[in-house]
Amino acid sequence: MAAPSCIFCKIIRQEIPSAIIKENQAAIAIKDISPRAPVHYLIIPKIHIESVAHMSDTEATVAAQMLILARDIAADAGIVGFNLITNNGASAGQSVMHMHVHFLAGKDIYEHGLSL
Ligand code: 5GP
Ligand code: ZN
């Protein structure tokens, strides 16, 4: 179900312009408006899901399509190393309450001591 006031739903409905990189049946990838890496895309499901925590078992097929889209974007661009980050909940840095994955490349996100 689309959410009328959700900024990412508006982008998907093309009511707000965005730089579309690639899409598949379930997800769209756009350039982040405020890039924090040389390559910074957002992979966004076409249906409104608030966050991973709100995703139903059925909607998990959408998550698979999001990863497939990330794989295909990397393959298209010859990107070998990339990071996929999903902020889940305001306390974890999520600012747009429509689930998305940050696709980051060309930056060492571990340079300041973060280790996973
Ligand atoms: P979050 O903080 O929720 O994990 O990530 C939200 C991301 O959406 C941020 O990186 C922010 O720069 C990006 N963003 C917010 N509004 C827009 C917009 O209107 N267009 C695009 N392309 N990105 C947006
Ligand atoms: Zn939405």
Side-chain angles (χ1 to χ4, degrees):
M1 181 68 77
S5 63
C6 169
I7 193 161
F8 285 174
C9 285
K10 288 180 179 173
I11 284 173
I12 288 155
R13 292 196 299 267
Q14 300 194 6
E15 293 169 13
I16 294 177
S18 68
I20 298 171
I21 301 301
K22 195 178 182 71
E23 63 182 304
N24 63 20
Q25 64 199 61
I28 189 167
I30 63 169
K31 285 188 180 178
D32 195 292
I33 203 167
S34 176
R36 273 143 281 154
V39 176
H40 187 175
Y41 303 149
L42 300 170
I43 299 177
I44 305 171
K46 292 182 177 177
I47 60 169
H48 183 85
I49 304 169
E50 183 172 330
S51 75
V52 172
H54 294 79
M55 183 180 67
S56 70
D57 287 3
T58 310
E59 289 167 341
T61 58
V62 169
Q65 288 295 324
M66 292 166 72
L67 290 183
I68 287 169
L69 190 55
R71 177 199 68 188
D72 291 346
I73 289 166
D76 285 355
I79 296 172
V80 175
F82 59 94
N83 301 97
L84 301 176
I85 296 176
T86 302
N87 297 326
N88 190 86
S91 63
Q94 186 180 4
S95 61
V96 178
M97 295 303 161
H98 178 134
M99 187 171 104
H100 53 280
V101 170
H102 295 261
F103 180 109
L104 301 162
K107 181 183 171 77
D108 181 356
I109 66 165
Y110 299 114
E111 64 193 332
H112 296 301
L114 173 66
S115 176
L116 292 176

